[in-house]
Amino acid sequence: MKVNAAPMNQKIWTPWFTVGVIFIALGAIVTLYRFIFGIGAVTNLSDGVPWGIWIAFDVVTGIALAAGGFTMAALIYIFNRGQYSPLVRPALITALLGYGIAAFSIMLDVGRWWQLYNPLLPRSWQGNSPLFEVSLCVMTYLTVLILEFVPIAAEKYKDSDNAFLKSLANKLGPVVNKALLFLIILGVVISTLHQSSLGSVMLVAVARIHPLWHTAWLPFLFLVSAIAVGFPVVVIESFVSAKAFKRSFEAGILSKLVKVTPWFLAIYGVVRYSDIIISGKAGYLLSGWGLLFIVENLMLIIIPFFMFINQKARTSPNGLLIASVIMVVGLVLNRLNTYLITYSPRPGWDYFPSIGELLVSAMLISLLFVGYKILANNFPVLSKEH
Amino acid sequence: MALSRRDFFKTSTILGGTILGVSKKSFAEETEQSIADNWGMLNDSTLCIGCRGCQSACKKEHGLDRVGNDPRYDMPTDLNADNLTLIQLYNKTETEYCFIRRSCLHCNYPSCVSVCPVAAFTKRDDGVVVYDKDKCIGCRYCQVACPFEAPTFEYDEAFPVVHKCDFCKDTRLDKGLKPACASVCPRGAIKFGKRGELLEEARNRIKDNPERYNAHIYGETEIGGTSVMFLAPKNIEFDDLGYHSWGETPPGALQEKIQHGIFKYWIPPVALYGALAILAVSNRKKNNDDNQSEEAGNES
Ligand code: SF4
Ligand code: SF4
């Protein structure tokens, strides 16, 4: 698995980059305010609706969209499809940034953040809680991702002028490289665990989530949809990165990649609809919530399914991109519906995200793009064009 | 829409429960006896006159702030971090009404305990569900999980804490006293005691006075039973009082079952790891053997 990558070394300060930095600055002010005056001072959260977009979007949706990292790694290293190896490093840094951002937003959202190390203390272990599992998995997976990044950094610094960096790179690089396969498998196992556990989290909220979204199959559905969305996210990421670095968009290899996506979508769709029908929830499809459900399913399952199995749509750069975008929006909608939109508040309460919450989310999204640009610009992430 | 969400809850949990073989037993080792010995409370709405003495006593006992900044004190309208119990009026008609109390019900199989990622909520041997702020990370999953909307959170504090009824364990119960609310109620509408005895008492009250009472004891079986139970006047439905028929399966049961399944001796994750490792190594070998021929017939 030879990866032939190089740093981009291009001009960093483009107009879009500046916009991102401005959003980061604004979000940083809100963040500071939140830590001084409390969550209530910047959010619209309340006893009536305890989880808002910081959890539903920044953490839950973010982690689902970062699944590209582990699906790509599994494809290349476990199923040994070497021809896709140019895509593995970009997917890795996307996952690394995505999980870093998710971890940061957990820190922002939890009230007693200074005790966040508690899940590591045996006196606090609570194996019955899916959130306990998620917190351990996110910490471990982030460590694994950082380790997976070590060979990339080592490649950059192995001939560095700085003697310390050079010796570190030459010592650490080969060690991690040897363990890489086993780290990657660990990352895949941890991912399947917490992607599904994010579905389990809402099982208990049976009194709160609409029955069309609340099912015993939630953990399975969350896992399968995260796997399914992995490659379409890689498509979008490749497109954005091609635009940012003025490279060509490699639709050819990507359209081969998404050939597998319809399989997962089919499994997902069959399970989800059988469950609705067997457990007698079909009647809900005729309500307003049913409409939302159908819109979500059209975007997440049906439209991408037909576009990805269609040879013509899949192999045209536009078709490929449009199908991927539709599916990603569908997935975002699915996670928001499950965690937020169909959540029925305590009687008398309501929620709509505040400006502060939106600014923080904008900061986190900007961090992803700005971080990606900086990493790909300075480290051998993107493959050399031929 | 014919089905209401709540109707659905009942059937879906029963269905989910039987399909997956979830029983209440998958929780901590509770027995009928241990549950009967738990501390409990019987709230009799037919006796309550809405004086809110319990509400005030609770605030005083826990040293909680008054409502708002106005020196003229007023009543809270919802449970919150400064009000751990609340008396609310339900007015069905001019003559049919009752006062109903809200607080933590100290469930037999508490959802808050099931979900808290750091075991900040625990159920003591005497049945009291208690909170430990030194463990809590403030994720508010307990708020999402509790069907009775009991845990509240200090959203306006930089260093917030979760609050809920604790049966006055520190200041009274562990010193042999009844909780403050039960000891001030002038009508005896709040009876504190062992859950088993209270259940007996509730049945007797209904039997002796069928004209007066709704025949249902709320909390006897709901979500696996609660330590705090309710009696309502005849002709008034619990559903209208905000106490819904959630079915008998505790909301945390399914999730506990799944987590146990996954982490039983860590077999599933370790097995998955092993399988993937074998797959990866054998694929790699195969690749080395037939070298560059991987492109042909590639399905992925
Ligand atoms: S009422 Fe809510 S807070 Fe109280 S024990 Fe039950 S689940 Fe926990
Ligand atoms: S807010 Fe605290 S008590 Fe509630 S679930 Fe989270 S850690 Fe546990």
Side-chain angles (χ1 to χ4, degrees), chain A residues 40 83 112 115 128-129 201 206, chain B residues 9 115 136 141 155 160 255 298:
Chain A
Q83 71 268 37
R112 302 174 64 80
Q115 302 196 141
N128 293 327
S129 169
V201 165
V206 72
Chain B
F9 176 87
V115 302
C136 173
Y141 194 8
Y155 284 90
Q255 159 226 302
N298 194 338

Side-chain angles (χ1 to χ4, degrees), chain A residues 43-51 346 349-351, chain B residues 140 143 155:
Chain A
T43 70
N44 284 341
L45 297 174
S46 62
D47 287 330
V49 184
W51 286 350
R346 288 184 191 199
W349 293 91
D350 229 327
Y351 170 82
Chain B
R140 312 186 294 286
Q143 293 203 292
Y155 284 90

Side-chain angles (χ1 to χ4, degrees), chain A residues 237-250:
Chain A
E237 170 238 295
S238 304
F239 177 79
V240 174
S241 123
K243 278 274 163 277
F245 293 111
K246 301 190 187 59
R247 291 150 52 95
S248 55
F249 175 48
E250 304 263 359

Side-chain angles (χ1 to χ4, degrees), chain B residues 103-107 110-113 121 129 145-151 164 223:
Chain B
S103 73
C104 166
L105 305 193
H106 298 268
C107 308
S111 308
C112 54
V113 174
F121 272 115
V129 176
C146 171
F148 303 109
E149 302 159 353
K164 74 164 195 70
I223 62 161

Side-chain angles (χ1 to χ4, degrees), chain A residues 51 110-112 118 129 131, chain B residues 111-113 115-121 130-133 135-145 151-153 161-162:
Chain A
W51 286 350
V110 301
R112 302 174 64 80
N118 269 353
S129 169
L131 210 54
Chain B
S111 308
C112 54
V113 174
V115 302
C116 177
V118 286
F121 272 115
V130 295
Y131 165 78
D132 177 357
K133 71 174 188 325
K135 288 185 185 164
C136 173
I137 55 172
C139 67
R140 312 186 294 286
Y141 194 8
C142 48
Q143 293 203 292
V144 171
T152 56
F153 186 75
V161 171
V162 170

Side-chain angles (χ1 to χ4, degrees), chain B:
Chain B
M1 193 168 63
L3 282 161
S4 89
R5 283 197 195 194
R6 274 177 193 120
D7 288 342
F8 196 77
F9 176 87
K10 234 184 340 190
T11 48
S12 85
T13 43
I14 295 167
L15 215 78
T18 41
I19 288 174
L20 285 136
V22 175
S23 75
K24 282 171 258 168
K25 298 276 148 34
S26 69
F27 267 70
E29 272 73 65
E30 293 284 0
T31 62
E32 218 165 287
Q33 190 55 46
S34 74
I35 286 173
D37 285 343
N38 284 341
W39 286 118
M41 239 176 223
L42 182 61
N43 288 316
D44 191 334
S45 285
T46 69
L47 295 175
C48 177
I49 51 168
C51 73
R52 296 178 167 91
C54 51
Q55 241 175 256
S56 307
C58 175
K59 272 176 101 83
K60 197 168 153 214
E61 195 64 39
H62 291 86
L64 300 170
D65 277 349
R66 65 180 178 205
V67 175
N69 299 319
D70 194 322
R72 290 159 300 181
Y73 189 96
D74 203 348
M75 279 295 155
T77 53
D78 203 347
L79 292 179
N80 56 47
D82 290 321
N83 295 281
L84 313 185
T85 188
L86 191 69
I87 295 290
Q88 289 177 305
L89 170 65
Y90 173 66
N91 229 347
K92 189 176 176 189
T93 63
E94 198 74 357
T95 50
E96 291 173 306
Y97 63 89
C98 76
F99 292 95
I100 186 74
R101 186 151 170 257
R102 282 173 55 195
S103 73
C104 166
L105 305 193
H106 298 268
C107 308
N108 293 346
Y109 304 96
S111 308
C112 54
V113 174
S114 295
V115 302
C116 177
V118 286
F121 272 115
T122 45
K123 190 167 175 71
R124 306 203 307 193
D125 286 342
D126 60 0
V128 187
V129 176
V130 295
Y131 165 78
D132 177 357
K133 71 174 188 325
D134 292 330
K135 288 185 185 164
C136 173
I137 55 172
C139 67
R140 312 186 294 286
Y141 194 8
C142 48
Q143 293 203 292
V144 171
C146 171
F148 303 109
E149 302 159 353
T152 56
F153 186 75
E154 295 172 341
Y155 284 90
D156 292 324
E157 298 290 331
F159 304 102
V161 171
V162 170
H163 291 269
K164 74 164 195 70
C165 159
D166 58 359
F167 278 172
C168 302
K169 66 172 169 72
D170 293 329
T171 51
R172 303 182 60 93
L173 187 62
D174 292 349
K175 296 178 181 159
L177 298 168
K178 290 195 278 191
C181 53
S183 56
V184 298
C185 179
R187 297 272 295 155
I190 307 172
K191 181 155 187 183
F192 187 76
K194 294 289 179 188
R195 185 180 188 271
E197 288 159 24
L198 294 174
L199 199 54
E200 206 55 38
E201 161 111 27
R203 288 191 188 121
N204 287 336
R205 286 192 201 175
I206 294 172
K207 197 168 79 215
D208 297 344
N209 254 318
E211 294 310 303
R212 183 186 174 97
Y213 287 103
N214 178 329
H216 186 68
I217 304 167
Y218 191 92
E220 180 180 359
T221 56
E222 278 79 9
I223 62 161
T226 56
S227 288
V228 177
M229 295 171 290
F230 297 86
L231 290 173
K234 204 175 178 70
N235 299 331
I236 291 190
E237 295 304 322
F238 278 106
D239 205 47
D240 294 326
L241 300 177
Y243 286 105
H244 306 294
S245 24
W246 297 122
E248 291 188 16
T249 314
L254 182 54
Q255 159 226 302
E256 288 212 359
K257 174 107 179 164
I258 292 174
Q259 293 303 113
H260 280 295
I262 296 177
F263 289 107
K264 193 103 202 212
Y265 313 114
W266 290 82
I267 291 173
V270 172
L272 179 61
Y273 191 100
L276 291 177
I278 292 169
L279 196 62
V281 171
S282 71
N283 271 337
R284 196 163 267 209
K285 260 217 203 89
K286 202 169 74 201
N287 199 44
N288 287 345
D289 292 349
D290 46 40
N291 244 329
Q292 306 289 341
S293 63
E294 59 178 12
E295 285 295 334
N298 194 338
E299 283 304 312
S300 340

